[in-house]
Every structure is written in structure tokens, then in C-alpha cells.
């Protein structure tokens, strides 16, 4: 589809100049009312589990939004709750799920989550179908956006009819370029924060299975490349961090997507490299809507009122392009 040249997100508040401030502020200061949800645990085919929160608006509802969080996030982050609340106001049920190792307790198996893993989102979708939902929208943020687009592209020819399309924000479409960018300047602060929780998870997994998770020299893991070379790649069958990043990047499958999808990446997003703005792919696609506001930061898009712009934009896209 044509690139959306004139985004309705014109400018962040004047007191939040720059991509870093617009990325950090919502995490620290946004107040979001917790949605009414019930927590469930589903079993996976490999004898593990996925934890999720399900918000129901009415017993007979047949429409659902499935929300996928960002790296080292969880299903109760403010941007997840904000989107759940926004869709609930419009009569949508919402399912927000945790990747493996992102819930309240370690998973049983050795595997962690990663961007190339589509088994778990397929398990979540199958669970949603088993509950009787007939209209399903996939919504992903950052890493969750990459997973969402990977699913829509890789399974375009083998996808349930109930999947209407997708809505994604702040997506690292090129993981190699983004990993390099995150290893420079102020971005190292974000990496430090990611690695703080990733190291903690590795120690927990080491206590479960010391033969798989070696923690000697763990404190020397200083970059995402270090972590992915030492843990993500070998544990999940990749040759190296670079091999993992390349195979997990959704930019390779954008041209295969056959259902309407919105991709919103702010031009001042500190996480994103230039290759994460796939203008050519959008121009050639009949289904990919690429929107690139000048501001917004990473999963920011701050605006006055109870809903952020990203939530209003998601509802607008759903109503206009997803047959709802």
C-alpha cells in the first residue's frame, strides 16, 4: 500500500523533546488503570506452559485482540494495559500473553523466548480459536511487533480465516542493524537494563539445568551480541548471534503478508536503524501500511487524555481496514 505520508501524530509534548525522553517517560510516569482480567496458564506441545491474561467484555463476544509485548517486558506493561483498555471500550476482548521466562516463574524447558520463535504465538492463537473467537486482530509492540509480522508473513498461506490482520508499533524489522545501534551512545543504558534482567533469568535457569546454562563469566556479558552468542543462538539452534538476528528479522517476510497490517515506526525512535523503515516493501505491498511520524520515540506516542495516540490509531485502523 502507499506509505502514509501525513501521520496524524504530529508532535510530542514540548516538554518531552527527543526520542529518548519520549521513550522513557511512559515507562516511568504513565498511569494506566489495570484492566479487568482473568489469568490462565495453557500447556504447550513440548510440555511447557504459557501464562496469559484474558479480559472479557461480555460472555458471547466473538472478537479478540491478541497483544504481544516487547523485549524483557511482560503482559502487564503500561502500553499493554493501555491498549487492552482502549479495545475494551470498543467492545473487544483482549488476550495479553507472556513469552517464556517473562511470567512470574521460570518455564520448565531450556528454551527462552526469541524473535524467530513462532510456535508460541501459534499456540496462543489456537487457544483463542478454541474459546470461539471469530474475529482476531494481532497487536505487537517492538519485539512483539517483529513476532507478529513474522507470523503474518511466514504463515500467510496457512493462517486461520479468523485472523483479520495486524497492528504493530516500534518494530525492529532489521535486528542486526538495531543490535548494532543499541550498542552505541546513550542506547547502552537500554542494553544495560535488558541485560540486568536477562542475567537474572540465566541464573534461574542455571539453578534448574546447570548442564545447559553455564554462568561462569556471566558478568562479562556486556552487549546483546555477547548474550545472543552465548545463550540465544546455541540453545535455540542458531550458528551465531548474527545468524539468529538475520533469520529472526521480519523484514524478510513483509512482502509475503496477505492481510492488512499497520506498521508505525517513529523517525526519532532511538532503537531503530534506517533499514527499519521499509518504504519500498510498503509501496510494493497490497497489505502493508507504513506510517512514520516524525516523533513518538520507542513505544511512546504520548498524547493528552486517557488514551495515547497509538491506542486511538490502532482503533482507527481496525475500524477502517480490518472489517470490524
Amino acid at each position: 500500500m502507499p506509505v502514509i505520508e501525513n501521520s496524524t501524530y504530529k508532535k510530542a509534548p514540548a516538554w518531552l523533546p527527543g526520542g529518548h525522553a519520549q521513550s522513557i517517560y511512559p515507562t516511568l510516569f504513565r498511569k494506566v488503570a489495570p484492566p479487568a482480567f482473568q489469568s490462565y496458564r495453557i500447556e504447550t506441545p513440548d510440555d511447557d506452559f504459557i501464562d496469559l491474561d484474558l479480559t472479557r467484555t461480555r460472555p458471547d463476544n466473538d472478537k479478540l485482540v491478541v497483544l504481544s509485548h516487547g523485549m524483557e517486558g511482560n503482559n502487564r506493561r503500561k502500553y499493554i494495559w493501555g491498549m487492552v483498555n482502549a479495545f475494551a471500550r470498543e467492545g473487544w476482548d483482549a488476550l495479553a500473553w507472556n513469552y517464556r521466562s517473562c511470567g512470574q516463574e521460570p518455564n520448565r524447558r531450556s528454551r527462552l523466548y526469541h524473535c524467530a520463535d513462532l510456535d508460541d504465538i501459534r499456540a496462543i492463537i489456537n487457544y483463542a480459536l478454541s474459546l470461539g473467537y471469530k474475529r482476531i486482530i494481532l497487536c505487537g509492540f517492538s519485539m512483539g511487533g517483529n513476532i507478529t509480522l513474522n507470523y503474518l508473513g511466514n504463515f500467510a498461506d496457512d493462517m486461520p480465516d479468523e485472523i483479520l490482520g495486524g497492528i504493530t508499533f516500534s518494530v525492529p524489522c532489521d535486528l542486526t542493524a538495531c543490535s548494532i545501534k543499541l550498542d552505541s551512545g546513550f542506547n547502552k543504558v537500554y542494553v544495560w537494563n535488558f541485560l540486568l534482567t536477562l542475567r537474572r533469568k540465566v541464573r534461574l535457569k542455571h539453578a534448574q539445568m546447570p548442564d545447559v546454562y553455564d554462568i561462569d563469566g556471566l558478568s562479562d556479558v556486556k552487549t546483546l551480541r555477547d548474550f545472543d552468542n552465548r545463550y540465544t543462538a546455541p540453545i535455540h539452534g542458531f550458528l551465531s548471534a548474527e545468524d539468529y538476528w538475520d533469520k529472526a528479522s521480519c523484514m524478510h517476510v513483509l512482502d509475503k503478508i496477505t492481510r492488512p497490517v499497520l506498521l508505525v515506526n517513529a523517525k526519532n525512535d532511538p532503537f531503530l536503524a534506517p533499514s527499519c523503515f521499509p518504504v519500498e516493501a510498503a509501496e510494493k505491498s497490497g497489505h502493508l501500511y507504513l506510517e512514520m511520524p516524525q516523533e513518538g520515540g520507542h513505544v511512546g506516542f504520548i498524547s493528552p487524555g486517557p488514551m495515547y495516540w497509538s491506542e486511538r490509531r490502532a482503533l482507527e485502523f481496525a475500524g477502517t481496514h480490518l472489517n470490524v
Side-chain angles (χ1 to χ4, degrees):
M1 300 301 295
V3 174
I4 301 171
E5 298 285 355
N6 297 311
S7 175
T8 57
Y9 190 74
K10 300 299 183 183
K11 194 171 180 61
W15 45 271
L16 277 177
H20 291 298
Q22 293 162 26
S23 304
I24 295 170
Y25 176 86
T27 299
L28 297 180
F29 301 109
R30 186 183 184 188
K31 297 185 185 302
V32 183
F37 59 80
Q38 292 291 324
S39 296
Y40 298 91
R41 172 169 290 182
I42 64 172
E43 296 294 315
T44 60
D46 63 339
D47 190 33
D48 210 338
F49 63 86
I50 302 172
D51 289 335
L52 60 93
D53 292 340
L54 182 62
T55 297
R56 293 184 182 270
T57 58
R58 62 178 190 270
D60 61 343
N61 201 357
D62 74 342
K63 56 184 184 179
L64 176 77
V65 58
V66 174
L67 298 116
S68 302
H69 62 77
M71 181 176 180
E72 284 306 279
N74 57 60
N75 65 349
R76 297 178 186 178
R77 288 297 172 96
K78 296 173 183 178
Y79 57 84
I80 295 287
W81 279 1
M83 194 65 75
V84 170
N85 289 337
F87 271 86
R89 290 186 190 102
E90 298 299 319
W92 284 77
D93 289 2
L95 188 162
W97 62 292
N98 281 317
Y99 310 149
R100 300 194 197 202
S101 80
C102 292
Q104 298 299 309
E105 62 180 278
N107 284 77
R108 304 179 195 126
R109 309 294 290 181
S110 61
R111 60 189 283 190
L112 300 173
Y113 69 91
H114 60 87
C115 283
D117 175 23
L118 300 181
D119 291 340
D120 286 353
I121 192 170
R122 294 185 82 185
I124 287 293
I125 290 169
N126 287 336
Y127 175 71
L129 293 172
S130 76
L131 297 177
Y133 289 104
K134 302 300 183 185
R135 293 176 287 172
I136 299 173
I137 294 174
L138 307 181
C139 181
F141 302 85
S142 191
M143 177 181 170
N146 188 81
I147 292 172
T148 297
L149 294 172
N150 265 332
Y151 172 81
L152 290 169
N154 280 291
F155 297 107
D157 297 329
D158 183 27
M159 188 179 300
D161 292 338
E162 290 85 351
I163 304 296
L164 303 179
I167 299 168
T168 60
F169 295 93
S170 306
V171 183
C173 303
D174 181 350
L175 294 174
T176 301
C178 290
S179 296
I180 293 170
K181 184 171 183 180
L182 281 171
D183 195 29
S184 63
F186 184 83
N187 283 346
K188 291 182 178 181
V189 173
Y190 304 117
V191 173
W192 178 85
N193 191 56
F194 288 146
L195 291 175
L196 190 68
T197 54
L198 284 168
R199 291 193 201 99
R200 185 181 305 132
K201 289 175 180 179
V202 166
R203 293 187 182 97
L204 289 173
K205 298 303 286 186
H206 171 76
Q208 281 183 305
M209 43 195 73
D211 293 340
V212 178
Y213 283 86
D214 179 12
I215 60 172
D216 288 342
L218 179 59
S219 59
D220 295 329
V221 173
K222 303 292 187 183
T223 67
L224 292 178
R225 175 181 273 105
D226 291 342
F227 185 87
D228 288 338
N229 266 325
R230 180 162 181 182
Y231 296 106
T232 310
I235 289 171
H236 302 102
F238 301 100
L239 299 176
S240 64
E242 287 78 9
D243 181 53
Y244 158 57
W245 296 338
D246 180 60
K247 290 177 178 175
S249 294
C250 69
M251 66 178 185
H252 299 309
V253 299
L254 295 178
D255 61 336
K256 298 179 181 178
I257 291 174
T258 58
R259 304 198 187 177
V261 62
L262 175 66
L263 168 55
V264 180
N265 279 351
K267 291 186 177 180
N268 72 342
D269 189 325
F271 285 46
L272 302 185
S275 50
C276 295
F277 300 88
V279 173
E280 184 176 354
E283 289 175 341
K284 293 181 178 179
S285 172
H287 303 278
L288 175 62
Y289 294 78
L290 174 63
E291 188 165 350
M292 300 176 292
Q294 294 293 326
E295 296 191 346
H298 191 76
V299 195
F301 306 107
I302 302 155
S303 56
M307 287 198 297
Y308 273 17
W309 173 86
S310 50
E311 293 144 17
R312 294 197 301 271
R313 182 70 180 99
L315 292 175
E316 179 185 43
F317 185 82
T320 303
H321 296 288
L322 298 180
N323 301 317
V324 296

